[in-house]
């Protein structure tokens, strides 16, 4: 046997090539101790994107955020990692809409922070986080408008480049290039506002109008002929699937969603109670939150749909159930639908759809 070469530490003189398999693993190991220097705020990282958050009630809370920010920058210097301090973003969510305190000179330190290079972080109206536009007013309108604009450009490109209007090709192009743009992370930002629902739905409405043989049909008829779900119905389906994944430990239940077991109805979500001390303006936020809206969607499902413990079987059961429910999304210029087309609305509609809720 030959001599075993000794393991001698060597200096790293080059970076890891982008797109490698080993690169992300090495980077995670490299920043593994970053959270240890954050002592006052909640910290989270996804790849090279790190966030800290803290509720600010008193001036000491703001001082703690500044202290953690300084410690993170110091950690990066010790580890020879350069942070782009000019790209730091600050998003501030307020429970009080009053701006009186913001203009007073002695309160500026509560809403501004300084990096080691002297760059001042001031609250922004919006901030992009992992491809989603977050707004300081708690609304998703900015994200929806940018997402729809991107989808419209892609749809226009497809319709300009491809002259074939046959159903198979057009549907394939739409599903792979256009629809994917308006469904990214949709369980998070799914809107309840009819205007936003219509804005998103108009993408599919406009595109399907160009498919051969459907020009004389209205949008609801085109959905049926093309065997498509509305974008609104697909978003609700994604929310239901995500609840199932949390129930079956395939996704982290980081919002603490609670389930109850009913012998007749199956697993149901315990809807969190609305805080009566909260202002009335918070009602909309409460209703549109994932814990509430997704929970209500889940609770409309009969037990035979939610009982499967395998994802493929659950999706099949869910698909069969959803096909029994009318899918008439609100669309600009159309006569008013019976409701907002949510599964919850159809379930609660007066007169009921009793035959819909039975197993096939």
């Amino acid at each position: 046997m030959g001599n075993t070469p000794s393991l001698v530490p060597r200096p790293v003189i080059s970076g890891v090539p982008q797109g490698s398999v080993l690169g992300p693993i090495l980077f995670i190991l490299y920043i593994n101790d970053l959270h240890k220097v954050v002592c006052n705020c909640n910290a989270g990282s996804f790849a090279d994107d790190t966030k800290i958050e803290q509720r600010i009630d008193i001036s000491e809370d703001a001082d703690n955020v500044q202290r953690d920010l300084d410690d993170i920058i110091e950690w990066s210097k010790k580890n020879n990692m350069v942070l782009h301090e000019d790209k730091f973003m600050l998003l501030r969510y307020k429970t009080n809409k009053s701006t009186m305190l913001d203009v007073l000179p002695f309160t500026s330190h509560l809403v501004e922070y300084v990096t080691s290079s002297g760059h001042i972080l001031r609250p922004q109206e919006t901030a992009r986080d992992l491809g989603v536009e977050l707004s300081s007013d708690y609304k998703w309108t900015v994200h929806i408008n940018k997402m729809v604009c991107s989808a419209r450009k892609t749809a226009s490109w497809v319709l300009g480049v491809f002259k074939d209007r046959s159903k198979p090709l057009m549907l394939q192009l739409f599903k792979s290039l256009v629809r994917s743009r308006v469904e990214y992370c949709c369980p998070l930002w799914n809107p309840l506002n009819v205007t936003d629902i219509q804005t998103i739905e108009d993408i599919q409405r406009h595109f399907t109008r160009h498919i051969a043989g459907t020009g004389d049909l209205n949008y609801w008829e085109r959905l049926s002929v093309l065997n498509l779900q509305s974008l609104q119905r697909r978003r609700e389906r994604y929310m239901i699937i995500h609840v199932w994944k949390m129930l079956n430990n395939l996704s982290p239940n980081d919002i603490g969603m609670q389930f109850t077991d009913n012998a007749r109805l199956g697993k149901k979500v315990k809807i969190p109670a609305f805080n009566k001390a909260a202002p009335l303006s918070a009602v909309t936020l409460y209703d549109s939150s994932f814990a509430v809206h997704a929970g209500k969607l889940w609770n409309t499902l009969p037990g035979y749909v939610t009982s499967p413990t395998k994802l493929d079987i659950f999706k099949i059961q869910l698909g069969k159930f959803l096909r029994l429910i009318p899918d008439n999304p609100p669309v600009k210029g159309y006569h008013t639908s019976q409701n907002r087309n949510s599964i919850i609305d159809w379930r609660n509609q007066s007169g009921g759809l009793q035959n819909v809720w039975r197993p096939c």
Side-chain angles (χ1 to χ4, degrees):
M1 296 180 63
N3 295 328
T4 302
S6 59
L7 299 178
V8 179
R10 300 288 186 183
V12 177
I13 60 175
S14 63
V16 179
Q18 188 173 2
S20 67
V21 176
L22 188 59
I25 298 176
L26 294 176
F27 182 77
I28 291 173
L29 293 174
Y30 189 72
I31 67 169
N32 193 41
D33 61 338
L34 172 60
H35 69 281
K36 294 181 180 179
V37 304
V38 182
C39 302
N40 304 292
C41 303
N42 295 320
S45 297
F46 183 86
D48 61 346
D49 192 342
T50 299
K51 295 173 288 294
I52 60 174
E53 60 180 15
Q54 172 67 20
R55 174 172 175 166
I56 307 297
D57 289 323
I58 56 178
S59 60
E60 284 77 6
D61 295 330
D63 294 337
N64 288 335
V65 174
Q66 181 66 64
R67 190 173 298 110
D68 279 347
L69 179 61
D70 294 339
D71 290 341
I72 290 174
I73 295 174
E74 183 63 26
W75 172 91
S76 70
K77 293 178 179 179
K78 291 180 179 178
N79 286 271
N80 296 320
M81 178 184 290
V82 179
L83 298 178
H84 297 284
E85 299 181 15
D86 56 335
K87 293 184 178 181
F88 288 5
M89 295 182 296
L90 172 63
L91 195 62
R92 179 189 179 205
Y93 292 102
K94 297 194 299 181
T95 56
N96 189 338
K97 294 184 179 181
S98 173
T99 59
M100 182 175 61
L101 290 178
D102 296 348
V103 300
L104 298 178
F106 55 83
T107 60
S108 61
H109 75 284
L110 297 177
V111 296
E112 294 180 356
Y113 302 93
V114 183
T115 67
S116 62
S117 63
H119 181 69
I120 300 178
L121 298 177
R122 295 185 174 89
Q124 300 178 213
E125 295 295 327
T126 62
R128 189 173 179 84
D129 183 19
L130 301 179
V132 178
E133 291 287 341
L134 306 178
S135 300
S136 59
D137 59 0
Y138 302 94
K139 298 178 181 179
W140 297 105
T141 302
V142 173
H143 172 73
I144 290 173
N145 289 340
K146 288 187 176 182
M147 173 190 66
V148 167
C149 181
S150 174
R152 282 176 179 163
K153 290 179 179 178
T154 304
S156 297
W157 177 84
V158 169
L159 295 173
V161 172
F162 295 88
K163 301 304 180 183
D164 186 351
R165 294 293 188 261
S166 62
K167 175 181 173 181
L169 177 63
M170 289 287 279
L171 288 180
Q172 182 64 35
L173 291 171
F174 176 74
K175 292 176 182 179
S176 59
L177 300 178
V178 181
R179 191 172 68 181
S180 58
R181 291 182 176 273
V182 294
E183 292 186 339
Y184 172 71
C185 210
C186 61
L188 173 65
W189 53 260
N190 177 55
L192 299 185
N193 180 280
V194 172
T195 301
D196 288 338
I197 294 174
Q198 291 176 334
T199 299
I200 301 171
E201 204 66 44
D202 197 52
I203 295 295
Q204 184 166 264
R205 176 193 176 193
H206 173 75
F207 194 95
T208 55
R209 191 171 56 194
H210 293 81
I211 299 179
T214 64
D216 296 331
L217 304 176
N218 66 42
Y219 180 51
W220 296 346
E221 292 170 339
R222 289 201 299 272
L223 290 179
S224 178
V225 169
L226 298 173
N227 194 27
L228 288 173
Q229 289 180 322
S230 68
L231 298 179
Q232 178 193 21
R233 182 60 51 83
R234 285 178 58 84
R235 291 193 300 273
E236 293 191 339
R237 174 180 174 272
Y238 281 128
M239 297 180 78
I240 292 172
I241 292 175
H242 194 70
V243 174
W244 184 92
K245 289 181 177 180
M246 291 194 296
L247 173 63
N248 291 273
N249 299 317
L250 293 182
S251 290
N253 187 2
D254 47 7
I255 62 173
M257 182 172 280
Q258 299 180 18
F259 297 87
T260 59
D261 198 356
N262 186 292
R264 183 174 64 89
L265 301 177
K267 293 282 188 179
K268 295 299 178 184
V269 173
K270 183 178 179 181
I271 306 299
F274 178 72
N275 185 355
K276 295 182 179 179
L280 292 178
S281 59
V283 173
T284 301
L285 299 176
Y286 168 82
D287 290 336
S288 60
S289 65
F290 182 86
V292 174
H293 188 58
K296 290 181 178 180
L297 289 170
W298 177 270
N299 289 345
T300 64
L301 304 179
Y304 78 92
V305 174
T306 60
S307 58
T309 56
K310 293 186 178 298
L311 181 58
D312 291 342
I313 298 177
F314 169 72
K315 286 183 177 180
I316 293 173
Q317 293 288 79
L318 178 61
K320 291 180 178 179
F321 174 75
L322 293 180
R323 282 193 291 271
L324 299 174
I325 305 173
D327 189 9
N328 301 329
V331 180
K332 298 176 182 178
Y334 276 44
H335 62 81
T336 306
S337 177
Q338 300 179 52
N339 50 49
R340 291 184 303 175
N341 194 51
S342 172
I343 300 171
I344 301 171
D345 294 334
W346 286 112
R347 181 66 178 88
N348 295 333
Q349 182 173 308
S350 62
L353 296 171
Q354 301 303 326
N355 60 325
V356 169
W357 314 105
R358 299 174 186 168
C360 306

PDB file of all heavy atoms in Angstrom, residues 87-98:
ATOM      1  N   LYS A  87     -27.971  48.219  -1.007  1.00  0.00           N
ATOM      2  CA  LYS A  87     -29.136  47.456  -1.455  1.00  0.00           C
ATOM      3  C   LYS A  87     -30.023  47.016  -0.294  1.00  0.00           C
ATOM      4  O   LYS A  87     -31.026  46.341  -0.505  1.00  0.00           O
ATOM      5  CB  LYS A  87     -28.691  46.227  -2.257  1.00  0.00           C
ATOM      6  CG  LYS A  87     -28.031  46.573  -3.588  1.00  0.00           C
ATOM      7  CD  LYS A  87     -27.712  45.312  -4.376  1.00  0.00           C
ATOM      8  CE  LYS A  87     -27.092  45.669  -5.720  1.00  0.00           C
ATOM      9  NZ  LYS A  87     -26.790  44.445  -6.514  1.00  0.00           N
ATOM     10  N   PHE A  88     -29.644  47.379   0.926  1.00  0.00           N
ATOM     11  CA  PHE A  88     -30.493  47.052   2.062  1.00  0.00           C
ATOM     12  C   PHE A  88     -31.834  47.762   1.900  1.00  0.00           C
ATOM     13  O   PHE A  88     -31.901  48.901   1.424  1.00  0.00           O
ATOM     14  CB  PHE A  88     -29.842  47.506   3.370  1.00  0.00           C
ATOM     15  CG  PHE A  88     -28.660  46.668   3.792  1.00  0.00           C
ATOM     16  CD1 PHE A  88     -28.169  45.664   2.993  1.00  0.00           C
ATOM     17  CD2 PHE A  88     -28.041  46.901   5.006  1.00  0.00           C
ATOM     18  CE1 PHE A  88     -27.081  44.897   3.383  1.00  0.00           C
ATOM     19  CE2 PHE A  88     -26.954  46.144   5.414  1.00  0.00           C
ATOM     20  CZ  PHE A  88     -26.468  45.148   4.589  1.00  0.00           C
ATOM     21  N   MET A  89     -32.907  47.114   2.314  1.00  0.00           N
ATOM     22  CA  MET A  89     -34.243  47.699   2.221  1.00  0.00           C
ATOM     23  C   MET A  89     -34.933  47.648   3.578  1.00  0.00           C
ATOM     24  O   MET A  89     -34.718  46.719   4.364  1.00  0.00           O
ATOM     25  CB  MET A  89     -35.082  46.966   1.176  1.00  0.00           C
ATOM     26  CG  MET A  89     -34.578  47.100  -0.240  1.00  0.00           C
ATOM     27  SD  MET A  89     -35.654  46.247  -1.432  1.00  0.00           S
ATOM     28  CE  MET A  89     -35.447  44.544  -0.891  1.00  0.00           C
ATOM     29  N   LEU A  90     -35.736  48.650   3.829  1.00  0.00           N
ATOM     30  CA  LEU A  90     -36.487  48.727   5.081  1.00  0.00           C
ATOM     31  C   LEU A  90     -37.970  48.874   4.761  1.00  0.00           C
ATOM     32  O   LEU A  90     -38.368  49.795   4.053  1.00  0.00           O
ATOM     33  CB  LEU A  90     -36.014  49.918   5.921  1.00  0.00           C
ATOM     34  CG  LEU A  90     -36.835  50.237   7.186  1.00  0.00           C
ATOM     35  CD1 LEU A  90     -36.779  49.069   8.173  1.00  0.00           C
ATOM     36  CD2 LEU A  90     -36.336  51.522   7.838  1.00  0.00           C
ATOM     37  N   LEU A  91     -38.764  47.944   5.249  1.00  0.00           N
ATOM     38  CA  LEU A  91     -40.207  47.997   5.056  1.00  0.00           C
ATOM     39  C   LEU A  91     -40.864  48.120   6.430  1.00  0.00           C
ATOM     40  O   LEU A  91     -40.559  47.343   7.337  1.00  0.00           O
ATOM     41  CB  LEU A  91     -40.704  46.739   4.352  1.00  0.00           C
ATOM     42  CG  LEU A  91     -42.124  46.800   3.772  1.00  0.00           C
ATOM     43  CD1 LEU A  91     -42.213  47.871   2.690  1.00  0.00           C
ATOM     44  CD2 LEU A  91     -42.535  45.445   3.199  1.00  0.00           C
ATOM     45  N   ARG A  92     -41.729  49.079   6.545  1.00  0.00           N
ATOM     46  CA  ARG A  92     -42.344  49.376   7.834  1.00  0.00           C
ATOM     47  C   ARG A  92     -43.855  49.187   7.734  1.00  0.00           C
ATOM     48  O   ARG A  92     -44.528  49.803   6.915  1.00  0.00           O
ATOM     49  CB  ARG A  92     -42.023  50.811   8.230  1.00  0.00           C
ATOM     50  CG  ARG A  92     -42.628  51.278   9.541  1.00  0.00           C
ATOM     51  CD  ARG A  92     -42.417  52.766   9.686  1.00  0.00           C
ATOM     52  NE  ARG A  92     -42.992  53.298  10.914  1.00  0.00           N
ATOM     53  CZ  ARG A  92     -43.369  54.553  11.073  1.00  0.00           C
ATOM     54  NH1 ARG A  92     -43.236  55.413  10.077  1.00  0.00           N
ATOM     55  NH2 ARG A  92     -43.878  54.967  12.208  1.00  0.00           N
ATOM     56  N   TYR A  93     -44.374  48.309   8.574  1.00  0.00           N
ATOM     57  CA  TYR A  93     -45.815  48.103   8.657  1.00  0.00           C
ATOM     58  C   TYR A  93     -46.337  48.847   9.884  1.00  0.00           C
ATOM     59  O   TYR A  93     -45.847  48.625  10.997  1.00  0.00           O
ATOM     60  CB  TYR A  93     -46.153  46.616   8.779  1.00  0.00           C
ATOM     61  CG  TYR A  93     -45.855  45.819   7.533  1.00  0.00           C
ATOM     62  CD1 TYR A  93     -44.722  45.019   7.451  1.00  0.00           C
ATOM     63  CD2 TYR A  93     -46.702  45.871   6.444  1.00  0.00           C
ATOM     64  CE1 TYR A  93     -44.448  44.288   6.311  1.00  0.00           C
ATOM     65  CE2 TYR A  93     -46.439  45.144   5.296  1.00  0.00           C
ATOM     66  CZ  TYR A  93     -45.320  44.348   5.248  1.00  0.00           C
ATOM     67  OH  TYR A  93     -45.036  43.632   4.105  1.00  0.00           O
ATOM     68  N   LYS A  94     -47.338  49.688   9.662  1.00  0.00           N
ATOM     69  CA  LYS A  94     -47.880  50.485  10.754  1.00  0.00           C
ATOM     70  C   LYS A  94     -49.289  50.014  11.094  1.00  0.00           C
ATOM     71  O   LYS A  94     -50.077  49.661  10.216  1.00  0.00           O
ATOM     72  CB  LYS A  94     -47.919  51.968  10.387  1.00  0.00           C
ATOM     73  CG  LYS A  94     -46.559  52.588  10.129  1.00  0.00           C
ATOM     74  CD  LYS A  94     -46.642  54.108  10.123  1.00  0.00           C
ATOM     75  CE  LYS A  94     -47.570  54.596   9.027  1.00  0.00           C
ATOM     76  NZ  LYS A  94     -47.625  56.084   8.997  1.00  0.00           N
ATOM     77  N   THR A  95     -49.611  50.029  12.382  1.00  0.00           N
ATOM     78  CA  THR A  95     -50.970  49.728  12.809  1.00  0.00           C
ATOM     79  C   THR A  95     -51.817  50.987  12.865  1.00  0.00           C
ATOM     80  O   THR A  95     -53.036  50.922  12.889  1.00  0.00           O
ATOM     81  CB  THR A  95     -50.965  49.070  14.204  1.00  0.00           C
ATOM     82  OG1 THR A  95     -50.268  49.926  15.136  1.00  0.00           O
ATOM     83  CG2 THR A  95     -50.241  47.729  14.162  1.00  0.00           C
ATOM     84  N   ASN A  96     -51.144  52.144  12.873  1.00  0.00           N
ATOM     85  CA  ASN A  96     -51.845  53.428  12.896  1.00  0.00           C
ATOM     86  C   ASN A  96     -51.483  54.190  11.622  1.00  0.00           C
ATOM     87  O   ASN A  96     -50.311  54.386  11.318  1.00  0.00           O
ATOM     88  CB  ASN A  96     -51.437  54.242  14.132  1.00  0.00           C
ATOM     89  CG  ASN A  96     -52.293  55.487  14.322  1.00  0.00           C
ATOM     90  OD1 ASN A  96     -52.906  55.974  13.370  1.00  0.00           O
ATOM     91  ND2 ASN A  96     -52.334  55.990  15.540  1.00  0.00           N
ATOM     92  N   LYS A  97     -52.478  54.620  10.870  1.00  0.00           N
ATOM     93  CA  LYS A  97     -52.225  55.293   9.599  1.00  0.00           C
ATOM     94  C   LYS A  97     -51.742  56.733   9.762  1.00  0.00           C
ATOM     95  O   LYS A  97     -51.360  57.376   8.791  1.00  0.00           O
ATOM     96  CB  LYS A  97     -53.493  55.276   8.743  1.00  0.00           C
ATOM     97  CG  LYS A  97     -53.910  53.879   8.303  1.00  0.00           C
ATOM     98  CD  LYS A  97     -55.111  53.935   7.379  1.00  0.00           C
ATOM     99  CE  LYS A  97     -55.503  52.542   6.917  1.00  0.00           C
ATOM    100  NZ  LYS A  97     -56.666  52.574   5.992  1.00  0.00           N
ATOM    101  N   SER A  98     -51.762  57.246  10.966  1.00  0.00           N
ATOM    102  CA  SER A  98     -51.332  58.616  11.183  1.00  0.00           C
ATOM    103  C   SER A  98     -49.852  58.775  10.852  1.00  0.00           C
ATOM    104  O   SER A  98     -49.020  57.934  11.175  1.00  0.00           O
ATOM    105  CB  SER A  98     -51.581  59.016  12.646  1.00  0.00           C
ATOM    106  OG  SER A  98     -51.032  60.289  12.912  1.00  0.00           O
TER     107      SER A  98
END
